[in-house]
Amino acid sequence: MTATAPARQVEPAEDAHREELAFLAAHDDGLKPPGWRLTPRAVVTFIVGSGGDALALPKGAKADGLPKRLVISPKFVGERALVERAVVTLAGERGLLLVGEPGTAKSMLSELLAAAVSGTSQLTVQGTAGTTEDQLRYGWNYAMLLAEGPSPRALVPSPVLSAMRTGGVVRVEEVTRCLPEVQDALVSILSDRRIAVPELSGTDAATVHAAPGFTVIATANLRDRGVSEMSAALKRRFNFEAVGPIGDLAAETELVRRQAKSALERVGAPFAVDDVVLEVLVTAFRDLRDGVSGEGWAVERPSTVMSTAEAVSVATALGLADAYFPSDRDPLSLLPGHLLGVVRKDDPADAAKLRGYWDGAVRRRAESGARTWRRLWELRDVLEG
């Protein structure tokens, strides 16, 4: 009897998009940098999509059960030029640092890049105040160490060391949350491209050299600048790319819909939130994030980041409420309460700013005759809770 693989809440990018990655590898047989699974052009296509067009496998390509034609889905909503610059940086084996506000899909972009370039996105170090140098270099299996002393078998490689051995991409999330001494260890790794293991002195394993293709993708939150400021030496070893909020309302709404629908599919529930409600939700997030409405009316911004990721969470909650409690309340009636919860995350006093938004932009849109906004205006009392 064959064992069934346990279900996962979230699939790594290389598993979730396995068919697309295999198809692109067969579709584009152009020049690849050392150690890469795909060509740089195919990596960009994997991330931004094929624009709705079906790509065709060239004659003679090894199909191995792949479809002859396939539309590559867009996975990151942002400037294609940004993705191309990121890919060129990695092709040059230089460190890539993705910076931006929380919720702008920096981690998702780094995961997609790692999966497309080296076939795995799971060589990851999560930066925190508790991250140690061992997590960047190596550790030991202490039972084996006591039994037989320092040996290659007893050494436990870090994700960085594993990526160096295989010529892969390692991800360092929230690098500015790491303590300065941990960041300094990253400086030497990016400079020397090797890690010394003094305990194995005199053996071939005493130094691990980076194989061709090895590089680092790090992310940094612009709101964490005061946690552990990066040294000038570390900054010089990265190319910086700023990942900003999605500029287009329709594109952001579509992304929120797609992500929320995917979340509902994981629990076997249909996503039935009306498109008009989603557009209102995303519009409110954009107004509060930008400090100005689409009409040009001033809006007082709350302290918390009204990110696309938060909008996805709210849309998912509305979808779940509709699926599990279909006859209680319509999703629009729940929106003010969810917005209030997001706005008060950093400062409970910011609830007043949301009420100000209701008394300004929401009221003016209601007065213009927009039915959905008029219904929202009628729900203002929810914000007094």
Side-chain angles (χ1 to χ4, degrees):
M1 186 183 219
T2 304
T4 303
R8 302 170 176 174
Q9 282 191 325
V10 180
E11 293 279 357
E14 58 271 19
D15 292 339
H17 308 291
R18 188 181 301 279
E19 183 181 60
E20 290 189 3
L21 289 168
F23 181 91
L24 286 169
H27 173 264
D28 191 344
D29 60 356
L31 184 64
K32 300 176 186 175
W36 282 39
R37 300 291 185 92
L38 302 180
T39 67
R41 179 171 56 187
V43 173
V44 174
T45 301
F46 171 67
I47 293 171
V48 303
S50 58
D53 299 328
L55 303 181
L57 288 180
K59 290 182 179 180
K62 292 183 179 180
D64 294 330
L66 295 171
K68 297 295 184 183
R69 300 173 65 84
L70 186 65
V71 176
I72 306 301
S73 63
K75 301 161 193 70
F76 172 77
V77 179
E79 295 181 8
R80 182 186 180 93
L82 182 153
V83 178
E84 290 178 348
R85 290 194 302 270
V87 169
V88 168
T89 293
L90 298 177
E93 297 180 338
R94 184 166 171 80
L96 171 66
L97 182 65
L98 302 173
V99 299
E101 293 284 349
T104 50
K106 301 181 296 298
S107 294
M108 183 179 75
L109 179 56
S110 75
E111 179 183 354
L112 292 169
L113 286 165
V117 168
S118 58
T120 179
S121 61
Q122 298 183 69
L123 296 175
T124 305
V125 176
Q126 180 60 55
T128 69
T131 302
T132 65
E133 287 188 55
D134 288 353
Q135 291 171 266
L136 287 183
R137 295 179 178 275
Y138 58 88
W140 296 99
N141 179 325
Y142 288 103
M144 196 173 292
L145 185 67
L146 290 171
E148 60 186 48
S151 68
R153 288 203 320 141
L155 186 140
V156 178
S158 69
V160 177
L161 191 62
S162 296
M164 293 177 74
R165 285 174 169 171
T166 60
V169 175
V170 64
R171 302 163 56 210
V172 181
E173 292 290 313
E174 306 292 357
V175 66
T176 51
R177 287 191 170 271
C178 297
L179 295 175
E181 55 267 26
V182 177
Q183 294 187 25
D184 288 345
L186 193 56
V187 171
S188 64
I189 290 169
L190 288 170
S191 299
D192 302 332
R193 302 285 166 153
R194 60 181 180 268
I195 291 179
V197 187
E199 296 90 342
L200 300 180
S201 179
T203 71
D204 292 340
T207 301
V208 177
H209 294 269
F214 165 74
T215 192
V216 177
I217 303 176
T219 63
N221 186 337
L222 289 177
R223 296 211 169 195
D224 285 343
R225 285 183 174 176
V227 176
S228 292
E229 176 66 26
M230 292 175 65
S231 67
L234 185 54
K235 288 179 180 178
R236 286 197 303 271
R237 284 154 178 83
F238 283 105
N239 282 358
F240 281 57
E241 289 294 342
V243 182
I246 299 172
D248 182 67
L249 171 62
E252 186 170 6
T253 303
E254 175 56 31
L255 176 64
V256 170
R257 178 189 297 106
R258 187 167 66 244
Q259 296 280 5
K261 182 180 178 182
S262 177
L264 268 291
E265 287 174 349
R266 288 198 294 272
V267 299
F271 182 69
V273 178
D274 190 89
D275 287 351
V276 174
V277 175
L278 282 181
E279 185 173 329
V280 167
L281 161 64
V282 175
T283 298
F285 265 78
R286 292 169 67 87
D287 292 347
L288 291 163
R289 179 172 67 220
D290 297 340
V292 62
S293 72
E295 299 87 348
W297 305 325
V299 174
E300 194 171 6
R301 288 191 294 186
S303 305
T304 192
V305 177
M306 304 297 292
S307 67
T308 304
E310 287 281 10
V312 170
S313 295
V314 172
T316 301
L318 296 180
L320 288 170
D322 183 70
Y324 291 135
F325 308 103
S327 60
D328 285 11
R329 286 175 289 177
D330 66 282
L332 185 63
S333 70
L334 302 176
L335 181 55
H338 283 289
L339 281 174
L340 186 62
V342 173
V343 166
R344 292 194 298 197
K345 277 189 176 181
D346 284 353
D347 185 355
D350 279 350
K353 296 180 180 179
L354 185 60
R355 290 193 292 271
Y357 173 65
W358 238 256
D359 294 338
V362 173
R363 178 182 59 80
R364 295 174 76 170
R365 286 171 182 150
E367 290 173 347
S368 72
R371 189 174 70 175
T372 307
W373 290 97
R374 186 164 63 249
R375 173 67 178 135
L376 267 189
W377 169 246
E378 293 169 354
L379 293 167
R380 187 189 182 284
D381 287 350
V382 175
L383 306 179
E384 300 293 345

Short mmCIF file of all heavy atoms in Angstrom, two decimals, residues 352-377:
data_model
loop_
_atom_site.label_atom_id
_atom_site.label_comp_id
_atom_site.label_asym_id
_atom_site.label_seq_id
_atom_site.Cartn_x
_atom_site.Cartn_y
_atom_site.Cartn_z
N ALA A 352 -9.79 56.53 15.47
CA ALA A 352 -10.34 57.85 15.16
C ALA A 352 -10.02 58.24 13.72
O ALA A 352 -10.81 58.93 13.06
CB ALA A 352 -9.78 58.89 16.13
N LYS A 353 -8.86 57.81 13.22
CA LYS A 353 -8.49 58.11 11.83
C LYS A 353 -9.40 57.38 10.85
O LYS A 353 -9.74 57.90 9.79
CB LYS A 353 -7.03 57.76 11.59
CG LYS A 353 -6.06 58.60 12.41
CD LYS A 353 -4.62 58.21 12.14
CE LYS A 353 -3.66 59.06 12.99
NZ LYS A 353 -2.24 58.69 12.78
N LEU A 354 -9.80 56.16 11.21
CA LEU A 354 -10.71 55.42 10.34
C LEU A 354 -12.09 56.08 10.35
O LEU A 354 -12.73 56.18 9.30
CB LEU A 354 -10.81 53.97 10.80
CG LEU A 354 -11.65 53.04 9.90
CD1 LEU A 354 -11.07 52.99 8.49
CD2 LEU A 354 -11.73 51.63 10.49
N ARG A 355 -12.52 56.54 11.53
CA ARG A 355 -13.80 57.25 11.56
C ARG A 355 -13.72 58.53 10.74
O ARG A 355 -14.68 58.91 10.06
CB ARG A 355 -14.18 57.56 13.01
CG ARG A 355 -14.57 56.33 13.83
CD ARG A 355 -15.23 56.70 15.14
NE ARG A 355 -14.30 57.33 16.07
CZ ARG A 355 -13.54 56.67 16.94
NH1 ARG A 355 -13.62 55.35 17.01
NH2 ARG A 355 -12.74 57.31 17.75
N GLY A 356 -12.55 59.19 10.78
CA GLY A 356 -12.36 60.38 9.94
C GLY A 356 -12.44 60.05 8.47
O GLY A 356 -12.97 60.84 7.66
N TYR A 357 -11.93 58.89 8.09
CA TYR A 357 -12.00 58.45 6.69
C TYR A 357 -13.46 58.23 6.31
O TYR A 357 -13.89 58.60 5.21
CB TYR A 357 -11.19 57.17 6.52
CG TYR A 357 -11.32 56.52 5.16
CD1 TYR A 357 -10.85 57.16 4.02
CD2 TYR A 357 -11.91 55.27 5.02
CE1 TYR A 357 -10.97 56.56 2.76
CE2 TYR A 357 -12.03 54.67 3.78
CZ TYR A 357 -11.56 55.31 2.65
OH TYR A 357 -11.67 54.72 1.42
N TRP A 358 -14.23 57.64 7.23
CA TRP A 358 -15.66 57.42 6.96
C TRP A 358 -16.39 58.75 6.80
O TRP A 358 -17.22 58.90 5.90
CB TRP A 358 -16.27 56.61 8.11
CG TRP A 358 -16.90 55.32 7.65
CD1 TRP A 358 -18.23 55.07 7.51
CD2 TRP A 358 -16.23 54.11 7.28
NE1 TRP A 358 -18.44 53.77 7.08
CE2 TRP A 358 -17.22 53.16 6.93
CE3 TRP A 358 -14.89 53.74 7.21
CZ2 TRP A 358 -16.91 51.87 6.52
CZ3 TRP A 358 -14.57 52.45 6.82
CH2 TRP A 358 -15.57 51.53 6.47
N ASP A 359 -16.06 59.71 7.67
CA ASP A 359 -16.75 61.00 7.63
C ASP A 359 -16.32 61.84 6.44
O ASP A 359 -16.99 62.82 6.09
CB ASP A 359 -16.47 61.78 8.92
CG ASP A 359 -17.09 61.10 10.14
OD1 ASP A 359 -18.04 60.32 9.96
OD2 ASP A 359 -16.61 61.36 11.27
N GLY A 360 -15.20 61.48 5.82
CA GLY A 360 -14.71 62.21 4.67
C GLY A 360 -14.98 61.48 3.37
O GLY A 360 -16.04 61.65 2.74
N ALA A 361 -14.05 60.63 2.96
CA ALA A 361 -14.12 59.99 1.65
C ALA A 361 -15.36 59.10 1.50
O ALA A 361 -16.04 59.14 0.46
CB ALA A 361 -12.86 59.18 1.40
N VAL A 362 -15.67 58.28 2.52
CA VAL A 362 -16.81 57.37 2.41
C VAL A 362 -18.11 58.17 2.28
O VAL A 362 -18.97 57.88 1.43
CB VAL A 362 -16.88 56.42 3.62
CG1 VAL A 362 -18.16 55.58 3.59
CG2 VAL A 362 -15.66 55.50 3.63
N ARG A 363 -18.26 59.21 3.12
CA ARG A 363 -19.49 60.03 3.06
C ARG A 363 -19.63 60.72 1.71
O ARG A 363 -20.71 60.73 1.11
CB ARG A 363 -19.48 61.06 4.18
CG ARG A 363 -20.69 62.00 4.17
CD ARG A 363 -20.61 63.03 5.28
NE ARG A 363 -19.41 63.85 5.17
CZ ARG A 363 -19.28 64.89 4.34
NH1 ARG A 363 -20.30 65.24 3.54
NH2 ARG A 363 -18.17 65.59 4.31
N ARG A 364 -18.54 61.27 1.19
CA ARG A 364 -18.60 62.01 -0.08
C ARG A 364 -18.94 61.07 -1.23
O ARG A 364 -19.69 61.44 -2.15
CB ARG A 364 -17.28 62.73 -0.33
CG ARG A 364 -17.01 63.82 0.71
CD ARG A 364 -15.64 64.44 0.56
NE ARG A 364 -15.56 65.37 -0.55
CZ ARG A 364 -14.53 66.19 -0.76
NH1 ARG A 364 -13.51 66.19 0.08
NH2 ARG A 364 -14.53 67.00 -1.80
N ARG A 365 -18.41 59.85 -1.20
CA ARG A 365 -18.77 58.89 -2.24
C ARG A 365 -20.22 58.46 -2.11
O ARG A 365 -20.92 58.25 -3.11
CB ARG A 365 -17.85 57.67 -2.17
CG ARG A 365 -16.44 57.95 -2.67
CD ARG A 365 -15.50 56.81 -2.39
NE ARG A 365 -14.13 57.11 -2.85
CZ ARG A 365 -13.03 56.64 -2.29
NH1 ARG A 365 -13.13 55.83 -1.23
NH2 ARG A 365 -11.86 56.96 -2.78
N ALA A 366 -20.69 58.32 -0.86
CA ALA A 366 -22.10 57.97 -0.64
C ALA A 366 -23.01 59.06 -1.18
O ALA A 366 -24.05 58.78 -1.81
CB ALA A 366 -22.34 57.75 0.84
N GLU A 367 -22.63 60.32 -0.97
CA GLU A 367 -23.44 61.45 -1.44
C GLU A 367 -23.46 61.56 -2.95
O GLU A 367 -24.38 62.13 -3.53
CB GLU A 367 -22.92 62.75 -0.82
CG GLU A 367 -23.18 62.85 0.68
CD GLU A 367 -22.52 64.06 1.30
OE1 GLU A 367 -21.66 64.68 0.62
OE2 GLU A 367 -22.83 64.38 2.46
N SER A 368 -22.43 60.97 -3.60
CA SER A 368 -22.39 61.03 -5.06
C SER A 368 -23.33 60.02 -5.70
O SER A 368 -23.51 60.02 -6.92
CB SER A 368 -20.96 60.77 -5.55
OG SER A 368 -20.62 59.40 -5.39
N GLY A 369 -23.94 59.15 -4.87
CA GLY A 369 -24.91 58.21 -5.38
C GLY A 369 -24.42 56.79 -5.53
O GLY A 369 -25.18 55.92 -5.97
N ALA A 370 -23.16 56.53 -5.18
CA ALA A 370 -22.62 55.17 -5.28
C ALA A 370 -23.27 54.29 -4.23
O ALA A 370 -23.10 54.51 -3.03
CB ALA A 370 -21.10 55.19 -5.11
N ARG A 371 -24.03 53.28 -4.67
CA ARG A 371 -24.85 52.51 -3.74
C ARG A 371 -24.02 51.75 -2.70
O ARG A 371 -24.36 51.72 -1.51
CB ARG A 371 -25.71 51.51 -4.51
CG ARG A 371 -26.74 50.81 -3.64
CD ARG A 371 -27.67 49.95 -4.47
NE ARG A 371 -26.98 48.78 -5.01
CZ ARG A 371 -27.59 47.82 -5.70
NH1 ARG A 371 -28.88 47.90 -5.95
NH2 ARG A 371 -26.91 46.79 -6.15
N THR A 372 -22.92 51.14 -3.14
CA THR A 372 -22.10 50.36 -2.21
C THR A 372 -21.50 51.26 -1.14
O THR A 372 -21.47 50.91 0.04
CB THR A 372 -20.98 49.64 -2.97
OG1 THR A 372 -21.55 48.88 -4.04
CG2 THR A 372 -20.22 48.70 -2.04
N TRP A 373 -21.04 52.44 -1.55
CA TRP A 373 -20.45 53.37 -0.57
C TRP A 373 -21.53 53.95 0.34
O TRP A 373 -21.26 54.24 1.52
CB TRP A 373 -19.68 54.47 -1.28
CG TRP A 373 -18.42 53.97 -1.92
CD1 TRP A 373 -18.24 53.61 -3.23
CD2 TRP A 373 -17.18 53.72 -1.26
NE1 TRP A 373 -16.96 53.17 -3.43
CE2 TRP A 373 -16.28 53.22 -2.26
CE3 TRP A 373 -16.73 53.88 0.05
CZ2 TRP A 373 -14.96 52.88 -1.95
CZ3 TRP A 373 -15.42 53.53 0.35
CH2 TRP A 373 -14.55 53.04 -0.63
N ARG A 374 -22.75 54.09 -0.18
CA ARG A 374 -23.85 54.57 0.67
C ARG A 374 -24.15 53.54 1.76
O ARG A 374 -24.40 53.89 2.92
CB ARG A 374 -25.08 54.84 -0.18
CG ARG A 374 -26.24 55.48 0.60
CD ARG A 374 -27.29 56.10 -0.31
NE ARG A 374 -27.95 55.10 -1.15
CZ ARG A 374 -27.81 55.00 -2.47
NH1 ARG A 374 -27.04 55.85 -3.12
NH2 ARG A 374 -28.46 54.08 -3.14
N ARG A 375 -24.11 52.27 1.38
CA ARG A 375 -24.33 51.21 2.37
C ARG A 375 -23.21 51.21 3.41
O ARG A 375 -23.46 51.05 4.61
CB ARG A 375 -24.37 49.86 1.64
CG ARG A 375 -24.41 48.65 2.57
CD ARG A 375 -25.69 48.56 3.34
NE ARG A 375 -25.72 47.36 4.19
CZ ARG A 375 -26.11 47.34 5.44
NH1 ARG A 375 -26.53 48.45 6.03
NH2 ARG A 375 -26.11 46.22 6.13
N LEU A 376 -21.96 51.44 2.98
CA LEU A 376 -20.85 51.53 3.93
C LEU A 376 -21.03 52.68 4.89
O LEU A 376 -20.76 52.58 6.09
CB LEU A 376 -19.53 51.69 3.18
CG LEU A 376 -18.72 50.45 2.82
CD1 LEU A 376 -17.37 50.86 2.28
CD2 LEU A 376 -18.55 49.52 4.00
N TRP A 377 -21.48 53.81 4.37
CA TRP A 377 -21.70 54.98 5.21
C TRP A 377 -22.75 54.68 6.29
O TRP A 377 -22.61 55.09 7.45
CB TRP A 377 -22.14 56.17 4.36
CG TRP A 377 -22.64 57.34 5.14
CD1 TRP A 377 -23.90 57.84 5.16
CD2 TRP A 377 -21.89 58.15 6.05
NE1 TRP A 377 -23.99 58.91 6.02
CE2 TRP A 377 -22.77 59.12 6.58
CE3 TRP A 377 -20.57 58.15 6.48
CZ2 TRP A 377 -22.36 60.07 7.50
CZ3 TRP A 377 -20.17 59.11 7.41
CH2 TRP A 377 -21.05 60.06 7.90
#
